Amino acid sequence: MALIRRGAVELIDETELKNKLRSGRRLRVKLGLDPTAPDLHLGHTVVINKLRHFQELGHQVQFLIGDFTGMIGDPTGRNQTRPPLTREQILANADTYKDQVFKILDREKTEVLFNSTWSNPLGAEGIIRLAAKYTVSQLLERDDFSRRFNQEKPIALHELLYPLMQGYDSVAMKSDVELGGTDQKFNLLVGRELQKSYGQEPQCILTMPLLEGLDGREKMSKSLGNYVGIAEPPQEIFGKLMSISDELMWRYIELLSFASTATIRGWKDDHPREVKARFAREIVARFHGAAAGERARAEFDSRFRHGALPSDMAETTLAAPAEGLQLTQVLKLSGLAASASEAARAIEQGGVRIDGERVSDRALRLLPGRVVTLQVGKRRVVKVRVT
Amino acid sequence: MALIRRGAVELIDETELKNKLRSGRRLRVKLGLDPTAPDLHLGHTVVINKLRHFQELGHQVQFLIGDFTGMIGDPTGRNQTRPPLTREQILANADTYKDQVFKILDREKTEVLFNSTWSNPLGAEGIIRLAAKYTVSQLLERDDFSRRFNQEKPIALHELLYPLMQGYDSVAMKSDVELGGTDQKFNLLVGRELQKSYGQEPQCILTMPLLEGLDGREKMSKSLGNYVGIAEPPQEIFGKLMSISDELMWRYIELLSFASTATIRGWKDDHPREVKARFAREIVARFHGAAAGERARAEFDSRFRHGALPSDMAETTLAAPAEGLQLTQVLKLSGLAASASEAARAIEQGGVRIDGERVSDRALRLLPGRVVTLQVGKRRVVKVRVT
């Protein structure tokens, strides 16, 4: 139970889950996946890691690909992130998902399901019977619905059907536990309620936090640029993880490291820089293999420890707006360049490094929360903290 | 257009309908029917008479039996008036409907359709696509929904789907005009909007008033007991129609008589009692044949004109609560009996007549709006006006 609870935000409810575990059955643990964006980042893996915990305890993971609604998309066309997908696209996305998640999960203890299997046979009549199980007010209680309703922003009727369809998935899959981010809590509860109304033992629900991005403020997301993609090159993952604050590091370790809680407790006395490197190596190893982890760490070390960097660097703290500071500005403000145009020239000539990596993109922005070692040429080095 | 307009409450919109009529096409005129209660009363025939006007102008009636939703009923079980029906019950009800309405309509110019034909093939996906065409707020604008929503009374989600299903019927039927009571206006408009969104020329909608019952106040309904069933015996229909107020008579004539507007204008100079008898004969003849109409009138005349009734009766006006006055009270208050118990005895002994008809039910109530000739024994007669 301690392993299941680790990092989790809410479990509904503990007694029920204990009874299920005590039954000795292999539990069916569901995770619903959006069939659109197959490019996973570390934020996505928080829940997948939790599935792994269940697998370690001997249970069965149910990976649900939401192909039924995926093929419909958003018929109003208002929601750009929900274009209708073809069967082929969904299958291709599912394959990409699988390639990525089986770096974390045990393929043997994972079932992959498609909800069109039971959603299509519901037919027009089945949807109406399903819709009869919830009232409009109950559905409008969902955070984003109530907000939009109160702000008089349109909510198309089919949007109210989607949580019911998702909930019905749990009925069809006879799930024992469903996992999701805290933003999914409402939908997970619908599954629980529907199972009851279909005479099933209701699933327990376990919500996981939304992982903060590298800035330590916003949730990790590709569009905010504060993410670590699991398909990124080893050195990139390593470098990004080395740049986070110490506080965020402990948070990441709780949610992302597979080290036991006892082991992690032992790390508290080590130097944060060493702990960070250990953790970064673990993550690189997870997605690129142990050798890649070792290599990334060695390269990073040689660049920073054995490199020409002075051991006592100047430090500067720069206040940045939410969208970050442009690198040319950062160079100028930290005294590494006399002007923004000099900074731009230095970037063009390949003379600028961030955490030892040469930078060529002069439009690059540093977001609040980043701590980087900034270098121009061989000598001029400053540690910059963007806040 | 004058014939189409006669008695109607609202036409949306007149220019469009004129264009459709001018096209010379045979228009498809839709009426949706609830497949549950096949026992029609005069209130139901207001809309059916309007369909007849369209038939007289050469158009085609589309009788739609809502068997799709009829077979589902109300899955929540909260709505007692919507039990799920079997295919057989629905077909039997449809036959009863047809038996009754073909006393008014031309069978040759009437098509009978069942909406399961196109609703079932929509499938789960079709329902979701349909649901995407309306927002929750648009649907909650419907009078009864907004009332319940504001009073925090539950509205099950499938109830919001039903207007869309009804509207989709118009799309599938390519209806040119849809008729309904004023209480159906919202649903008729949904059909119009959906046709537009499916690239069809939108149907015109024509709403008819809800006919007042014999009391002249509440709408005619079986449960209020203020109705004239079209399957009732001739004498019963005739007697009930003779009991209505003069004002209500002119209202009924406008909505129920097939006499032309010019003819009716000519009746204004006749004695109301004569006009009422003429109208009552027409209605009896419609549902029981011309001979029955003649006979009902003759019997009624012989009972009242050639009977022992004095030509100058005393008149009393009695104020009654909404639920009406008990007959024993009426007899006492109008001086026909010394006490309520004497009145009860007189009823038991068969000595009391209303409009010439012997009454045996002492619990009978006279509702506000009724004007009756009340008789105890041979001599004591009073015209009573209940208000």
Side-chain angles (χ1 to χ4, degrees), chain A residues 131 134-143 145-146 160-161 163-164 186 190, chain B residues 157:
Chain A
Y134 260 76
T135 69
V136 177
S137 315
Q138 284 173 319
L139 291 162
L140 289 181
E141 276 170 20
R142 201 175 88 168
D143 276 355
F145 288 156
S146 66
L160 260 50
L161 288 170
L164 293 180
F186 182 92
V190 171
Chain B
L157 183 56

Side-chain angles (χ1 to χ4, degrees), chain A residues 68 72 75-76 119 123-125 127-129 131-132 134-137 139-140 149 154-158 160-162 164, chain B residues 68 71-72 75-76 119 123-125 127-129 131-132 134-137 139-140 149 154-158 160-162 164:
Chain A
F68 173 74
I72 299 175
T76 64
S119 298
E125 181 175 342
I127 297 287
I128 288 176
R129 289 188 185 282
Y134 260 76
T135 69
V136 177
S137 315
L139 291 162
L140 289 181
F149 190 78
I155 303 169
L157 183 55
H158 74 289
L160 260 50
L161 288 170
Y162 277 3
L164 293 180
Chain B
F68 173 74
M71 282 188 285
I72 300 175
T76 63
S119 298
E125 180 175 342
I127 297 286
I128 288 176
R129 288 189 185 281
Y134 260 76
T135 69
V136 178
S137 315
L139 290 162
L140 289 181
F149 191 78
I155 303 170
L157 183 56
H158 75 290
L160 260 51
L161 288 170
Y162 277 5
L164 293 180

Side-chain angles (χ1 to χ4, degrees), chain A residues 62-100:
Chain A
Q62 300 179 311
F63 247 136
L64 175 69
I65 312 284
D67 66 329
F68 173 74
T69 46
M71 282 189 285
I72 299 175
D74 179 32
T76 64
R78 270 197 292 262
N79 190 340
Q80 301 285 337
T81 62
R82 263 207 171 153
L85 301 172
T86 64
R87 176 114 214 105
E88 290 65 41
Q89 285 173 311
I90 287 172
L91 288 176
N93 290 349
D95 280 340
T96 315
Y97 259 126
K98 283 190 266 179
D99 287 348
Q100 295 176 85

Side-chain angles (χ1 to χ4, degrees), chain B residues 14-26:
Chain B
E14 182 156 332
T15 312
E16 280 179 29
L17 183 56
K18 278 184 179 157
N19 286 337
K20 283 179 198 268
L21 290 168
R22 232 179 260 129
S23 75
R25 279 194 299 119
R26 199 177 186 192

Side-chain angles (χ1 to χ4, degrees), chain B residues 13 82 87 113 147 159 174 181 193 198 202 211 216 242 244 267 270 274 326 337 339 343 345 367-368:
Chain B
D13 82 27
R82 265 208 170 154
R87 176 115 215 106
L113 300 144
R147 200 177 318 116
E159 297 184 71
K174 299 192 173 64
E193 290 308 313
Y198 279 87
L211 191 71
M242 288 307 290
I244 62 177
W267 294 353
D270 298 338
E274 175 53 30
Q326 232 176 338
S339 67
R345 258 196 314 281
L367 294 171

Side-chain angles (χ1 to χ4, degrees), chain A residues 3 19 49 69 81 110 128 202 206 217 237 256 267 276 283 304 321 326:
Chain A
L3 183 59
N19 285 336
N49 293 346
T69 46
T81 62
T110 307
I128 288 176
L206 188 68
R217 297 199 317 186
I237 295 177
L256 300 173
W267 295 352
K276 215 176 279 180
I283 298 298
F304 286 84
Q326 233 176 336

